Amino acid sequence: MQSVAAAVARLDELADSPVVAELARVFADAGHELAIVGGPVRDAFLGRPVTDLDFTTDARPDRILELVTPISSAQWDVGRAFGTIAARVRGETVEITTYRADSYDGSTRKPEVRFGDSLDDDLARRDFTVNAMALALPQRRLVDPSNGVEHLLAARLTTPGTPEQSFGDDPLRMLRAARFSAQLGFDVDEDVMQAMTAMGDRLAIVSVERITDELTKLLRADRPRRGIELLVETGLAERVLPEIPALRLEIDEHAHHKDVYEHSLTVLDQAIDLERSRGHEAPDLVLRLAALLHDIGKPATKRVEPGGAVSFHHHDVVGSKLATKRLKALRFDNDTVASVARLIELHLRFFGYTEGAWTDSAVRRYVRDAGPLLERLHILTRADVTTRNRRKADRLAFAYDDLEQRIEHLQKEEELAAIRPDLNGDDIQRVLGIRPGREVGEAYRFLMELRLDEGPLGPDEAERRLRAWWDARA
């Protein structure tokens, strides 16, 4: 949180921008109120980049469109029914929404849209007080009826009215509380947490797509751990991502094992740190989902072995299947589902490397199996080391350094990322005198195994080996 003086200076700078100044002039000349509202005002106080320009006004949608058309290069009225008109002004996209005074019937999160005439009333219906501030234009007057600035200074997240009323109007706001807690680093008020705990069943009226959108925004936050912990603590995770609270496995006096829930959150933290240190500019949703979910197969595979040790055999394979099922239920796109599931399936592969030197063939297979996910697998595998035993952690880090160096060396020699057999399908058909079919596929796989085991053979040697394999097969 920056100083109030600095925030005021940023708000002045925002009001002086050509886009805002022009809109303020047009609406004032027409006798209408206009205010920058919500996120841009909040972010000015927090010193965060202002990426969206959201305005609110007493003008009705048709009038908004009439006013912005002469000063904009494009207009969109897809949100007209909800009072929102979007436009492209001086190269920037803005959204302008009529004051709202909606009512809800409790059976759906879609309101009965009613337009209002008061900025204060419009702000009172917003989700959290830190988002219920506005900068009235052109006066540049801060409008803050719910003490949002005070709550920003205290790093508190609370609602303008009672949380029960707010969440009853729109249950998705409960997930937003977790997301904003993670994005802003704010503490959620106790009464807000109590309402989240008591009203979890209200999420049933929210579409899967909206829930997934909030989870995605949460995971892309700088530190999503805070929001995930809030979802688990309030019981909301049981309703949207139940595999996470299930990781809190019971630890008894006879079968001690690592706290899988805490371990998974630590892996997520470490994956994000590595994501940044390795030069990834944008948050990697696939990597973060894989880090969070990589051990969700453990509850189903937990076994207490003779002597009291705990094992989780094949939890990588089970976890991959569980992740696929959950992410499909949340309607993530197919590429995301497949990539997360594959990373979970592969996340234990490296640990065999420390048990004995891998052959070049094993390194090639590691690269081939990871495919385009190799960099993410590097990060996930490194992040999965959470032991407090410094000697063990160093040994694993050194081993993975060695593996990455060997991969880099082999890639330079063999272009592993595009590894192919020495003969293609057409070559196989020509050499063996066969037509396209199952036998061509079998021959291709034979040559691929040779390529992985021995490296490049050259066309002549590959043809000799292929003929010998074919003769022996007959």
Side-chain angles (χ1 to χ4, degrees):
M1 176 74 181
Q2 60 183 1
S3 70
V4 174
V8 170
R10 288 197 72 200
L11 288 172
D12 276 338
E13 181 182 336
L14 185 59
D16 285 333
S17 71
V19 174
V20 175
E22 184 160 18
L23 284 168
R25 176 187 59 78
V26 167
F27 276 75
D29 289 349
H32 287 289
E33 298 176 3
L34 184 72
I36 303 173
V37 68
V41 181
R42 177 200 68 215
D43 290 340
F45 278 92
L46 294 175
R48 291 161 55 95
V50 175
T51 56
D52 298 307
L53 287 176
D54 295 327
F55 297 84
T56 188
T57 179
D58 62 338
R60 296 308 194 248
D62 289 345
R63 183 60 170 154
I64 297 172
L65 188 59
E66 180 183 335
L67 291 173
V68 300
T69 296
I71 63 169
S72 59
S73 59
Q75 309 83 35
W76 301 271
D77 62 354
V78 292
R80 182 196 294 258
F82 296 93
T84 300
I85 300 295
R88 191 79 174 165
V89 180
R90 292 179 177 264
E92 290 192 48
T93 299
V94 300
E95 288 192 354
I96 307 170
T97 302
T98 304
Y99 296 155
R100 298 271 291 272
D102 302 337
S103 60
Y104 295 78
D105 63 11
S107 62
T108 173
R109 67 175 295 268
K110 294 182 179 179
E112 178 186 340
V113 177
R114 289 193 295 114
F115 299 135
D117 299 301
S118 163
L119 176 56
D120 280 6
D121 289 346
D122 178 87
L123 295 175
R125 54 167 287 279
R126 294 181 178 262
D127 53 4
F128 301 103
T129 59
V130 297
N131 296 329
M133 299 180 293
L135 183 68
L137 301 168
Q139 311 94 313
R140 305 188 185 193
R141 174 174 58 89
L142 182 65
V143 183
D144 181 19
S146 302
N147 300 316
V149 171
E150 177 184 325
H151 299 152
L152 279 173
L153 290 168
R156 285 176 51 203
L157 200 63
T158 190
T159 53
T162 68
E164 289 80 9
Q165 177 65 46
S166 181
F167 299 156
D169 285 348
D170 186 355
L172 188 66
R173 291 173 175 175
M174 293 185 284
L175 298 187
R176 284 189 190 143
R179 190 242 297 182
F180 283 126
S181 177
Q183 286 180 333
L184 306 178
F186 282 13
D187 292 325
V188 176
D189 274 8
E190 182 62 33
D191 61 340
V192 174
M193 289 187 61
Q194 289 176 0
M196 292 169 69
T197 303
M199 300 178 67
D201 62 334
R202 294 282 297 149
L203 284 175
I205 69 171
V206 180
S207 71
V208 171
E209 290 81 3
R210 297 302 298 273
I211 288 173
T212 299
D213 183 55
E214 281 301 322
L215 289 176
T216 297
K217 290 175 180 176
L218 166 57
L219 283 170
R220 285 181 169 147
D222 285 346
R223 288 296 171 192
R225 178 184 186 131
R226 188 187 197 105
I228 294 165
E229 289 175 330
L230 181 60
L231 292 179
V232 171
E233 186 175 347
T234 59
L236 293 178
E238 293 277 3
R239 301 175 184 278
V240 298
L241 205 57
E243 292 79 7
I244 302 307
L247 293 173
R248 297 180 296 180
L249 300 178
E250 185 176 342
I251 303 175
D252 60 57
E253 59 181 337
H254 303 296
H256 293 289
H257 60 80
K258 190 183 302 181
D259 184 329
V260 183
Y261 170 66
E262 287 295 329
H263 164 74
S264 296
L265 293 179
T266 300
V267 172
L268 176 60
D269 287 341
Q270 294 184 165
I272 292 171
D273 289 340
L274 287 167
E275 180 185 280
R276 293 169 180 153
S277 68
R278 292 171 76 108
H280 295 229
E281 295 183 2
D284 189 333
L285 179 64
V286 167
L287 173 64
R288 295 180 181 201
L289 281 167
L292 181 62
L293 303 177
H294 76 285
D295 273 348
I296 61 172
K298 281 191 171 180
T301 58
K302 178 184 175 185
R303 299 290 184 271
V304 179
E305 306 292 350
V310 175
S311 68
F312 304 97
H313 295 308
H314 307 300
H315 76 269
D316 46 347
V317 177
V318 173
S320 178
K321 293 177 180 177
L322 290 174
T324 297
K325 182 177 180 181
R326 175 56 52 197
L327 296 180
K328 283 185 174 179
L330 288 169
R331 298 181 189 170
F332 279 94
D333 64 272
N334 291 337
D335 286 345
T336 296
V337 174
S339 295
V340 172
R342 187 60 169 158
L343 285 169
I344 293 172
E345 183 181 356
L346 294 174
H347 83 274
L348 292 181
R349 183 76 63 87
F350 159 74
F351 292 97
Y353 190 84
T354 61
E355 297 170 3
W358 278 7
T359 62
D360 285 351
S361 171
V363 175
R364 293 187 191 100
R365 281 184 167 81
Y366 189 79
V367 174
R368 179 197 64 177
D369 291 346
L373 299 173
L374 182 62
E375 170 64 9
R376 286 165 167 155
L377 184 59
H378 288 333
I379 294 175
L380 177 60
T381 303
R382 287 182 179 276
D384 197 21
V385 178
T386 62
T387 178
R388 295 181 181 178
N389 183 322
R390 177 45 51 192
R391 180 176 297 178
K392 181 179 180 181
D394 287 346
R395 178 171 58 84
L396 290 169
F398 293 150
Y400 209 89
D401 287 343
D402 181 67
L403 176 57
E404 285 204 65
Q405 289 168 7
R406 289 184 64 191
I407 290 172
E408 183 178 1
H409 177 72
L410 284 173
Q411 282 177 324
K412 287 179 179 178
E413 287 188 343
E414 306 178 15
E415 297 184 1
L416 287 187
I419 195 167
R420 296 289 186 274
D422 295 274
L423 302 178
N424 62 29
D426 290 339
D427 296 329
I428 292 170
Q429 294 174 60
R430 174 183 54 77
V431 170
L432 300 181
I434 59 177
R435 298 175 63 82
R438 176 178 55 82
E439 292 173 328
V440 175
E442 292 176 1
Y444 187 91
R445 287 189 289 274
F446 165 74
L447 290 171
M448 175 62 87
E449 291 301 314
L450 279 181
R451 175 72 172 78
L452 291 169
D453 285 338
E454 302 182 30
L457 298 174
D460 292 341
E461 178 62 14
E463 181 175 331
R464 186 186 71 78
R465 299 282 194 95
L466 177 62
R467 291 185 184 279
W469 171 82
W470 181 257
D471 291 342
R473 182 176 179 276

